């Protein structure tokens, strides 16, 4: 689990303690300072006066700080893959005063398939096309040394899959936001939202008015909509469990690829000399501070020990996070048509880090009524594919 922002968060907050009688005016209020809110706020702050509100004292406390930190174009529905491809340029060649090291570290992902998963492997291969190469059983074993001999009859390989430095990416956006004059308030839970022509957003620390509210509250997006009198969209937060375990003595897996079951029933990823493992669970959960489920921990160990020559004696750490999906599995970056100025940025599922650079730029363009940036449009992303059915930009 990446723990973000220790002492450094305080210096990023402008304005200091808020007087509850204060009512500020902004062009836009963004609710939620995870990767979605931080990135779109940074894009908008270039030309708007933006307030970013976060309930927690650390903006990465929820899903953003709990991810597996993978970038792969071989994952998710078509719009996610398009956003991931469109984000690739920024990940590989970021133009930023706030980054001192590369954001990506190439790792590769192997998708092994058992005999009973051959059809699933063929289907995935058909779906992913050139994004992956086919491996035979011997090649899978060479690429994934701890996999049990005879476990896989073949597999797929995404050579370009990479680790993302999530902490650096998130900080880049928060610092850029601040440098553009944006104001971040942490420990500021949104408790009420009124629509009175514009929007008045009430928090535990004060109230703010703005013509535009952006709902980037992750697993709480339907709750924020309900507060604003906007219809819920059926967001489904799904819990995913992750464990850190030690490799066998003498094994240094740091440069090994990640191994993802071809039907995503488990994964194993080298992480700072250890293994990050997951049963790839997706149990529905209310929005909350997600905790690991003991049954899923047991399932994880069972699946990993069946696939790998690895005996797990001790769990070094474990956590869970919520991956939030809309019913169609696609992210929503659109105004609510009946409620001018209420903008959704939700439903990033298990892909919100790897899509953030392009999704933030696309969302900012839609918020401001601009055309989709050409490099994102070239990948096939449109306003409609992100859920827009009307303009909705406030007059
Ligand atoms: C185990 C796991 C593995 C993952 N692996 C990957 C991966 O490899 N690659 C990838 O791209 N993605 C991955 N993801 C998904 C990714 O982490 C998410 O899509 C992304 O972090 C979502 O960001 P967010 O900003 O929408 O949500 P969050 O980070 O949860 O941010 C939402 C914020 O809104 C705030 N908020 C909520 N309600 C209020 C309120 N009333 N007032 C003020 N603030 C409020 C919350 O406190 C929170 O900080 C993974 C997720 C998990 C759990």
């Amino acid at each position: 689990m990446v723990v973000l922002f220790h002492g450094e968060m305080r210096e990023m907050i402008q304005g200091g303690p808020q007087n509850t009688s204060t009512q500020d005016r902004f062009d836009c209020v963004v609710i939620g300072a995870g990767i979605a809110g931080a990135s779109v706020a940074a894009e908008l702050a270039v030309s708007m006066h933006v307030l970013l509100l976060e309930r927690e004292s650390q903006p990465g406390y929820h899903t953003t700080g709990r991810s597996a930190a993978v970038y792969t174009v071989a994952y998710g529905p078509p719009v996610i893959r398009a956003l991931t491809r469109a984000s690739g340029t920024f990940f590989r060649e970021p133009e930023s005063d706030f980054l001192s090291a590369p954001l990506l570290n190439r790792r590769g992902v192997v998708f092994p398939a058992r005999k009973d998963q051959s059809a699933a492997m063929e289907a995935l291969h058909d779906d992913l096309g050139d994004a992956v190469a086919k491996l035979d059983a011997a090649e899978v074993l060479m690429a994934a040394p701890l996999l049990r001999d005879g476990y896989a009859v073949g597999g797929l390989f995404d050579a370009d899959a990479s680790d993302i430095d999530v902490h650096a990416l998130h900080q880049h956006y928060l610092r850029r936001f601040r440098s553009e004059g944006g104001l971040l308030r942490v420990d500021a839970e949104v408790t009420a939202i009124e629509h009175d022509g514009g929007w008045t957003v009430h928090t535990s620390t004060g109230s703010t008015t703005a013509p535009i509210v952006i709902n980037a509250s992750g697993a709480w997006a339907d709750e924020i909509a309900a507060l604003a009198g906007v219809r819920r969209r059926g967001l489904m937060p799904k819990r995913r469990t992750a464990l850190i375990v030690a490799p066998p003595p003498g094994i240094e897996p740091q440069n090994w690829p990640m191994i993802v079951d071809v039907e995503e029933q488990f994964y194993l990823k080298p992480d700072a000399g250890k293994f990050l493992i997951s049963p790839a669970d997706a149990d529905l959960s209310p929005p909350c501070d997600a905790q690991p489920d003991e049954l899923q921990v047991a399932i994880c160990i069972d699946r990993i020990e069946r696939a790998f020559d690895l005996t797990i004696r001790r769990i070094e750490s474990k956590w869970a996070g919520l991956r939030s999906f809309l019913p169609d599995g696609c992210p929503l970056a659109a105004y609510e048509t009946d409620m001018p100025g209420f903008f959704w940025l939700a439903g990033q599922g298990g892909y919100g880090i790897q899509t953030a650079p392009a999704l933030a730029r696309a969302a900012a363009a839609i918020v401001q009524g601009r055309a989709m940036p050409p490099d994102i449009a070239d990948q096939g992303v449109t306003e409609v594919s992100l859920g827009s059915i009307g303009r909705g930009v406030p007059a």
Side-chain angles (χ1 to χ4, degrees):
M1 176 174 180
V2 183
V3 178
L4 299 169
F5 309 110
H6 301 280
E8 62 199 338
M9 180 44 54
R10 286 285 149 205
E11 81 189 38
M12 302 183 77
I13 303 162
Q14 299 170 354
Q18 300 302 303
N19 179 333
T20 45
S21 66
T22 306
Q23 191 156 35
D24 302 319
R25 284 179 183 280
F26 288 83
D27 296 326
C28 174
V29 175
V30 179
I31 303 173
I35 196 68
S39 55
V40 78
E43 297 296 341
L44 290 171
V46 174
S47 55
M48 297 171 96
H49 188 31
V50 182
L51 174 65
L52 177 57
L53 295 173
E54 171 54 50
R55 177 187 50 209
E56 308 292 346
S57 58
Q58 295 188 10
Y61 179 75
H62 288 289
T63 309
T64 295
R66 307 182 189 203
S67 87
V70 180
Y71 174 94
T72 170
V73 294
Y75 198 31
V79 67
I80 289 291
R81 290 184 213 160
L83 286 164
T84 305
R85 287 193 303 274
S87 297
T89 307
F90 177 80
F91 275 121
R92 289 188 193 95
E93 296 158 27
E95 284 183 19
S96 168
D97 295 335
F98 310 112
L99 290 168
S100 53
L103 279 171
L104 291 190
N105 182 18
R106 190 177 291 200
R107 174 166 301 288
V109 172
V110 177
F111 302 89
R114 299 184 307 263
K115 193 171 180 191
D116 60 294
Q117 295 176 311
S118 298
M121 179 178 72
E122 294 303 335
L124 188 62
H125 189 222
D126 289 347
D127 191 20
L128 296 176
D130 291 345
V132 290
K134 232 173 166 177
L135 304 180
D136 63 24
E139 289 167 329
V140 171
L141 265 191
M142 270 181 52
L146 271 190
L147 206 66
R148 289 189 186 279
D149 200 356
Y151 177 85
V153 293
L156 304 175
F157 183 49
D158 172 7
D160 288 331
S162 300
D163 295 352
I164 304 172
D165 187 337
V166 179
H167 174 72
L169 179 70
H170 197 195
Q171 284 231 40
H172 152 79
Y173 282 121
L174 289 169
R175 290 190 167 157
R176 190 174 148 218
F177 174 64
R178 181 192 180 198
S179 79
E180 299 287 359
L183 178 66
L184 166 66
R185 282 188 197 144
V186 296
D187 298 316
E189 176 171 9
V190 172
T191 51
I193 305 174
E194 290 172 68
H195 188 221
D196 42 16
W199 295 95
T200 303
V201 179
H202 301 281
T203 74
S204 38
T205 59
S207 301
T208 304
T209 60
I212 297 172
V213 169
I214 298 188
N215 179 6
S217 57
W220 286 267
D222 264 350
E223 315 309 311
I224 289 293
L227 277 185
V230 169
R231 71 190 164 113
R232 291 170 181 264
R233 295 297 190 114
L235 189 74
M236 293 172 284
K238 296 184 178 180
R239 189 186 54 228
R240 178 149 290 186
T241 308
L243 285 61
I244 297 288
V245 299
I251 300 263
E252 290 184 10
Q254 199 43 37
N255 296 322
W256 292 5
M258 181 177 185
I259 314 297
V260 181
D261 174 67
V262 77
E263 294 179 296
E264 211 190 346
Q265 293 186 349
F266 63 79
Y267 58 76
L268 175 147
K269 183 188 174 203
D271 185 299
K274 315 272 181 180
F275 289 132
L276 186 167
I277 59 174
S278 173
D281 46 330
D283 296 332
L284 277 174
S285 164
C288 64
D289 184 356
Q291 300 299 318
D293 176 76
E294 285 312 315
L295 177 62
Q296 290 298 344
V297 170
I299 289 171
C300 181
I301 292 172
D302 179 59
R303 289 181 182 170
I304 293 290
E305 288 189 340
R306 279 172 195 266
F308 297 92
D309 205 359
L310 181 66
T311 305
I312 296 167
R313 300 190 197 287
R314 197 168 77 83
I315 297 166
E316 303 206 351
S317 63
K318 58 186 174 185
W319 68 89
L322 298 178
R323 302 153 75 246
S324 296
F325 295 85
L326 287 158
D328 66 359
C330 295
L332 179 61
Y335 280 107
E336 180 69 34
T337 39
D338 299 338
M339 286 288 199
F342 186 93
F343 190 88
W344 290 87
L345 184 55
Q348 294 88 340
Y351 333 99
I353 312 291
Q354 65 179 29
T355 55
L359 186 54
R361 288 174 56 228
I366 299 168
V367 166
Q368 297 180 318
R370 290 184 281 110
M372 186 66 65
D375 59 308
I376 301 175
D378 284 351
Q379 296 296 341
V381 179
T382 64
E383 286 86 347
V384 172
S385 67
L386 295 176
S388 280
I389 51 172
R391 299 298 291 171
V393 186

